[in-house]
């Protein structure tokens, strides 16, 4: 078949928007006249032959009309694609801005899933806790969970404290009171006096944590407020046994200013960092290789969406476990954290002070 121009696609209809007129007789240009609805092959019937003059010249504009129609169709499809992408991203193509936050997290869109982004977002909700008792002054960490100053920490950080002083990331200092403690889970809840409008942390879901997940730890090791370290989840459901009280030894987080041993604990049938004593409790812990040091106790273990997944509670220090050694050692990649779901299940009890 000899064709001088691209035919109209099968099934296409002329519309009021198609400015091109065709000089064919309606009978000859019948949809059934040729295969697929195209015009019959030449020679054309006399009454359907192209006519010279302006009408004939107008036929040259037909590709332009077709291109315009394609452009309009492409625009419509493109709009539909943008709408679809918007729906996949949360229902609207404008669902998040360049400086907005990812829904359900505290990490900005531009910094999502980076250590820097997590640190920037969560650090304001991590505090340093100074606990003064008859044995001296110890240093630990805590996590702000309400705007009016409820702070979660380890029981061993504030056990036996006569006075508790809390320093925010801004440097502002508050006095705190104990609301409730749970020695069996090594958890405690304290409340700042006269605080309001504080930055709070988002509690995540530790049941979703997997081995190999990246994590960030924030705390005050050796009194260095707001120290950030990172690593991965090394193992789940580790049975960690700790002392219910200080048992005369300095706790992890108690070597920051007062010296002495880190908080003693048992794992795998062995004792680390000193004797745990007779009064002990065992809990299922998250194991991490994120660096934890004395003073990290009570601080946060955070996923890459900026959610708290654990409360750091114990670390292995090789030198302090050696006989006769009183020096503190750095992290060797064996740290443990209380799963945040344990904390969430215990919050009402802590607020009621039933286990104090």
């Amino acid at each position: 078949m000899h064709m001088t121009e691209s035919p109209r696609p099968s099934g296409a209809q002329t519309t009021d928007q198609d400015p091109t007129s065709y000089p064919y007789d309606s009978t000859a240009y019948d949809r059934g006249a040729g295969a697929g609805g195209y015009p019959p092959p030449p020679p054309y019937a006399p009454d359907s032959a192209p006519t010279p003059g302006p009408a004939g010249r107008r036929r040259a504009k037909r590709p332009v009309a077709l291109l315009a129609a394609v452009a309009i169709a492409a625009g419509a499809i493109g709009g539909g694609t943008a709408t679809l992408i918007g729906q996949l991203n949360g229902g609207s193509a404008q669902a998040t801005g360049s400086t907005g936050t990812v829904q359900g997290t505290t990490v900005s869109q531009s910094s999502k899933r980076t250590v820097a982004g997590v640190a920037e977002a969560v650090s304001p909700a991590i505090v340093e806790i100074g606990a003064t008792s008859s044995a001296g002054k110890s240093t630990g960490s805590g996590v702000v969970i309400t705007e009016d100053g409820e702070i979660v920490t380890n029981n061993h950080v504030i056990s036996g404290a006569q006075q508790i002083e809390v320093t925010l990331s801004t440097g502002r200092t508050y006095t705190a009171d104990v609301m409730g403690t749970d020695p069996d889970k090594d958890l405690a809840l304290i409340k700042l006096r006269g605080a309001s409008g504080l930055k709070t942390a988002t509690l995540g879901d530790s049941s979703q944590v997997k081995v190999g997940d990246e994590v960030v730890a924030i705390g005050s090791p050796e009194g260095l407020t707001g120290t950030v370290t990172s690593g991965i989840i090394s193992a789940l459901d580790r049975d960690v046994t700790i002392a219910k009280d200080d048992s005369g030894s300095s706790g992890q987080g108690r070597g920051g200013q007062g010296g002495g041993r880190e908080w003693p604990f048992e794992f795998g049938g062995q004792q680390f960092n000193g004797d745990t004593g007779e009064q002990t409790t065992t809990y299922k812990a998250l194991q991490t290789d994120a660096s934890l040091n004395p003073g990290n106790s009570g601080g946060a273990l955070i996923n890459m969406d900026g959610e708290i997944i654990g409360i750091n509670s114990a670390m292995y220090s090789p030198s302090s476990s050696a006989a006769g050694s009183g020096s503190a050692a750095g992290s060797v990649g064996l740290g443990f954290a209380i799963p945040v779901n344990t904390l969430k299940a215990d919050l009402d009890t802590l607020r009621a002070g039933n286990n104090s």
Side-chain angles (χ1 to χ4, degrees), residues 30-310:
D30 190 287
R31 289 288 178 185
Y38 297 118
Y44 294 101
D47 59 353
S48 64
T51 57
R57 286 195 298 271
R58 259 178 292 176
R59 293 182 63 220
K61 297 181 180 180
R62 184 179 177 193
V64 176
L66 286 173
L67 289 174
V70 170
I72 293 172
I77 294 172
T81 303
T83 302
L84 176 60
I85 292 173
Q87 291 172 345
L88 292 175
N89 285 332
S92 170
Q94 303 297 323
T96 56
S98 59
T99 59
T101 58
V102 181
Q103 187 174 6
T105 74
T106 57
V107 181
S108 67
Q109 176 72 20
S110 60
S111 300
K112 184 180 178 184
R113 305 196 68 80
T114 67
V115 174
V118 170
E120 180 181 8
V122 185
S123 288
I126 310 303
V127 301
E128 178 182 312
I129 298 175
T132 303
S133 68
S134 57
K137 186 174 182 180
S138 62
T139 302
S141 305
V143 181
V144 181
I145 60 171
T146 66
E147 293 183 354
D148 61 350
E150 286 187 1
I151 295 173
V152 175
T153 187
N154 288 138
N155 175 65
H156 74 255
V157 170
I158 53 88
S159 176
Q162 299 166 344
Q163 181 178 351
I164 301 174
E165 190 175 79
V166 174
T167 304
L168 304 184
S169 62
T170 60
R172 185 172 181 177
T173 301
Y174 289 87
T175 298
D177 300 307
V178 177
M179 293 183 68
T181 63
D182 190 343
D184 289 334
K185 298 177 182 177
D186 195 21
L187 290 171
L189 187 66
I190 63 176
K191 177 84 175 286
L192 303 185
R193 297 178 185 175
S196 62
L198 301 184
K199 172 72 174 180
T200 63
T202 300
L203 302 183
D205 182 359
S206 52
S207 70
Q208 300 301 310
V209 175
K210 296 180 177 61
V211 173
D213 283 352
E214 293 181 275
V215 290
V216 174
I218 305 179
S220 300
E222 305 293 352
L224 300 174
T225 305
T227 296
V228 177
T229 58
S230 64
I232 63 169
I233 294 293
S234 304
L236 305 174
D237 299 325
R238 293 298 201 195
D239 286 325
V240 174
T241 300
I242 62 166
K244 280 191 175 184
D245 53 45
D246 58 21
S247 300
S249 65
S250 298
Q252 183 210 351
R254 303 191 173 216
Q257 296 180 25
R261 295 173 293 172
E262 290 77 15
W263 187 251
F265 72 98
E266 295 179 11
F267 174 73
Q270 298 182 357
Q271 292 188 340
F272 301 95
N273 305 343
D275 187 358
T276 57
E278 296 180 358
Q279 296 295 317
T280 62
T281 185
T282 301
Y283 59 84
K284 298 288 187 181
L286 303 174
Q287 182 181 331
T288 179
D289 70 349
S291 179
L292 302 180
N293 291 286
N296 273 113
S297 278
L301 190 66
I302 312 158
N303 66 19
M304 301 308 289
D305 287 326
E307 300 168 334
I308 309 301
I309 58 170

